[in-house]
Amino acid sequence: MVDIPTPSLFYDGKPQTSSSTQTFQSIDPSTALPLTTITTSTPTDIDAAIASAARAFPTWSSTPAPSRARILLHAASLLRSRTPFLATLETLDTGKAYSETSAIDVATGADALEYFAHLVASSGLSGEATPLRPDAWVYTAKAPLGVCAALGAWNYPLQIALWKAAAGLAAGNTLVYKPSEVTPLHSSVLAALFAEAGLPPGVFNVVQGGGETGAYLAAHPGIAKVSFTGQVATGRKVAAAAGAGLKYVTMELGGKSALVVLADAEVEQAVDGAMMANFYSSGQVCTNGTRVFVPRRMKEAFEAALLRKMRFIRPGDLMDPATNFGPLVSRVHHEKVVGYIRHGIEVDRATLLHGGLGKLDLPDGVAEELKSGFWVRPTVFTDCTDDMRIVKEEIFGPVMSILTYDTVEEVVRRANDTTLGLAAGVFTKDLNLAHKVIAQLEAGITWINTWGESPAEMSVGGWKMSGVGVENGRRGIEAWVRNKSTLVDMAGEVATVFSKL
Ligand code: NDP
């Protein structure tokens, strides 16, 4: 395995000793055993990290974009070359299989660094010029915001940190990053890697701790913007705290997304999509398509194909390349997901097609300590109705709900009947219909005949209660800059009403 680094407070370009004696533990979700102990950052520590970021801002923000880009590209190349180490850390911390973290988590973070480095180096931060009259015009410029706070969720720790850092740093801001206390292992490793790539001290800083640490950052007068990824309930608190200081915000929040299988869809393809939308990362993906709408006449064929493919879900030793299903991230989250499965069986009374309560069968020969991990059985409910709690609320675990429908008009109305609007998608061979349905679905991230891919080129962000603003893509940079408009008048005289009596 790897030597597990102890995450620390990090500012002025190096690890710092916290002024606190309070600690918390990082736990291996696959065994429930502790990995390392982390010291919480105090308000004094956080003030010091913000002060470091403020000192670094004037120089970093005025560094030419191609020079900033060179450093970010160097960091991306270091990340790629250290994929085995970084992916192992993510696997230990999150419980996701190494087959996932090595293929996706590190690479998609490095992709974002490369994307935004190239974007800002090739005019991504340029403004516009608008002629007004022969002797006057308006030009605009984009300016970085200042010291920004980045608050991350536990499901894609390194990727979330890098998506925020890539756009934020490329635009010329400096950052103070707080990882989730559930998954902190990557945090100061990433800060050290940035320093090695040539990022000046103070440009990327890390503080450690739970909700209180995040709340302190969100309300701090030295913070110009809060970029938050997490639950809707937390997002509301963070946005309110940031709003009190009129800070910029980006909110990447939860979802309860609809995956719509249209009547002419290829059943096998739709089932593959539904499985990716529910069981990848053991269902701990914000864009999960957990409400699977299937035409009534296709229900039997869909469920038969799904049951056939459920046996391709392979829990086990997370470092085994064949393993594609891990435990849930923590004991607390395990209790929450199991509670929803129990509710689905006992209160909602949905039909349990697969999985349910009870121990997940791990393959013979796995290490004994894996049996104490936070595993849950991949679960499918069918005959679900829109009013069931398992259909209405985000579970954030491997729990699929199958709902049937009769008409396209009906399925669009029901898919939109939620306060959330993160993702949605359709499976069909009829591309005209696909576009018509997609145009009516109230969600910020949509797919046709696929599910889950979210490349750096694609701007992503939720509608309704699922978020504010976007990350990634060309629009992603706009969330990290403010506009300055300048009117230039060359007429030689100021247009004034005060020149005559
Ligand atoms: P949480 O909302 O619990 O936590 C998110 C971050 O906020 C953590 O760092 C957390 O710290 C911190 N935090 C907690 N309380 C406060 C507070 N009062 N003020 C400031 N910060 C606070 O989310 P989870 O970590 O449980 O993540 C899962 C959620 O994230 C799901 O709902 C999922 O849908 C969503 N998500 C959305 C994505 C998107 O792009 N839309 C992507 C990924 C996840 P700590 O963990 O240490 O308590």
Side-chain angles (χ1 to χ4, degrees):
M1 205 51 101
V2 295
D3 283 340
I4 297 170
T6 297
S8 69
L9 175 67
F10 193 107
Y11 61 83
D12 284 350
K14 54 181 189 291
Q16 306 281 345
T17 307
S18 167
S19 56
S20 172
T21 49
Q22 199 185 324
T23 59
F24 60 95
Q25 284 189 318
S26 161
I27 307 285
D28 179 346
S30 69
T31 60
L33 295 171
L35 292 165
T36 185
T37 301
I38 302 104
T39 308
T40 305
S41 304
T42 62
T44 310
D45 300 331
I46 304 168
D47 288 347
I50 294 173
S52 175
R55 280 192 300 277
F57 179 71
T59 305
W60 180 246
S61 57
S62 55
T63 300
S67 305
R68 290 202 299 264
R70 247 190 319 273
I71 293 170
L72 299 183
L73 290 173
H74 188 187
S77 124
L78 290 176
L79 279 163
R80 291 196 193 284
S81 68
R82 292 177 198 167
T83 294
F85 169 66
L86 294 164
T88 304
L89 283 191
E90 289 296 82
T91 287
L92 286 167
D93 220 12
T94 62
K96 296 196 288 184
Y98 182 78
S99 60
E100 267 190 38
T101 55
S102 58
I104 299 295
D105 297 46
V106 185
T108 51
D111 289 349
L113 284 178
E114 287 160 357
Y115 178 82
F116 283 108
H118 290 301
L119 187 71
V120 297
S122 64
S123 84
L125 282 180
S126 57
E128 298 163 352
T130 309
L132 291 180
R133 309 180 279 276
D135 51 10
W137 81 98
V138 171
Y139 69 88
T140 65
K142 291 171 184 164
L145 302 170
V147 179
C148 301
L151 305 178
W154 46 253
N155 62 333
Y156 278 83
L158 181 65
Q159 186 206 64
I160 290 172
L162 282 163
W163 282 13
K164 295 184 188 312
L169 301 184
N173 301 283
T174 56
L175 291 195
V176 180
Y177 169 57
K178 187 199 91 65
S180 166
E181 65 185 330
V182 182
T183 53
L185 287 192
H186 65 291
S187 56
S188 39
V189 171
L190 176 61
L193 183 146
F194 271 137
E196 187 183 338
L199 203 68
V203 174
F204 183 83
N205 310 280
V206 178
V207 296
Q208 305 288 349
E212 280 170 24
T213 307
Y216 187 81
L217 268 177
H220 199 287
I223 296 291
K225 176 210 166 102
V226 184
S227 177
F228 174 83
T229 301
Q231 300 181 37
V232 173
T234 321
R236 294 174 83 145
K237 287 189 222 163
V238 173
L246 291 178
K247 301 179 198 307
Y248 292 80
V249 292
T250 306
M251 293 280 140
E252 298 287 345
L253 309 178
K256 191 71 190 176
S257 302
L259 183 156
V260 179
V261 182
L262 293 174
D264 69 332
E266 195 74 62
V267 174
E268 296 287 320
Q269 187 194 24
V271 167
D272 286 339
M275 289 189 66
M276 284 302 284
N278 282 273
F279 303 120
Y280 193 74
S281 286
S282 298
Q284 301 165 117
V285 185
C286 53
T287 51
N288 266 359
T290 50
R291 293 184 295 144
V292 178
F293 287 96
V294 178
R296 197 175 305 281
R297 272 182 302 177
M298 191 194 285
K299 178 176 186 274
E300 211 173 301
F302 184 90
E303 289 178 0
L306 178 63
L307 284 175
R308 227 177 28 250
K309 292 189 183 220
M310 289 301 285
R311 65 193 166 87
F312 300 144
I313 295 180
R314 294 183 298 273
D317 176 351
L318 298 180
M319 296 304 291
D320 182 338
T323 299
N324 60 14
F325 187 82
L328 297 176
V329 76
S330 67
R331 189 178 303 284
V332 171
H333 192 55
H334 182 264
E335 276 168 19
K336 175 179 158 186
V337 173
V338 168
Y340 273 110
I341 296 174
R342 178 169 295 113
H343 196 276
I345 297 168
E346 295 174 3
V347 183
D348 288 335
R349 297 198 172 276
T351 306
L352 184 63
L353 189 69
H354 185 92
L357 299 168
K359 272 207 168 306
L360 172 72
D361 285 332
L362 290 169
D364 293 339
V366 294
E368 196 55 30
E369 58 263 29
L370 283 191
K371 296 182 180 150
S372 310
F374 310 129
W375 303 89
V376 71
R377 296 169 79 188
T379 295
V380 181
F381 286 110
T382 188
D383 302 322
C384 296
T385 53
D386 298 348
D387 57 347
M388 291 178 178
R389 203 171 148 214
I390 53 165
V391 175
K392 289 165 89 111
E393 296 178 13
E394 185 184 45
I395 299 175
F396 219 51
V399 185
M400 183 193 298
S401 297
I402 299 177
L403 303 114
T404 52
Y405 72 92
D406 293 304
T407 67
V408 172
E409 192 187 27
E410 173 202 340
V411 77
V412 167
R413 179 181 45 75
R414 289 171 59 198
N416 288 338
D417 187 17
T418 163
T419 56
L420 300 168
L422 189 57
V426 294
F427 282 83
T428 177
K429 293 200 274 288
D430 181 343
L431 281 183
N432 288 347
L433 184 58
H435 292 298
K436 279 184 194 156
V437 173
I438 286 287
Q440 295 175 70
L441 291 173
E442 295 167 358
I445 308 166
T446 56
W447 289 285
I448 296 174
N449 291 334
T450 184
W451 197 280
E453 188 180 353
S454 188
E457 296 88 336
M458 182 176 182
S459 294
V460 287
W463 285 16
K464 303 199 273 191
M465 297 295 282
S466 289
V468 178
V470 297
E471 285 188 329
N472 286 344
R474 295 187 77 86
R475 291 198 50 229
I477 202 78
E478 303 295 336
W480 296 91
V481 291
R482 52 188 152 197
N483 182 70
K484 179 175 284 182
S485 292
T486 305
L487 196 156
V488 183
D489 195 314
M490 302 182 299
E493 287 174 16
V494 176
T496 176
V497 295
F498 302 114
S499 57
K500 293 185 203 132
L501 278 178

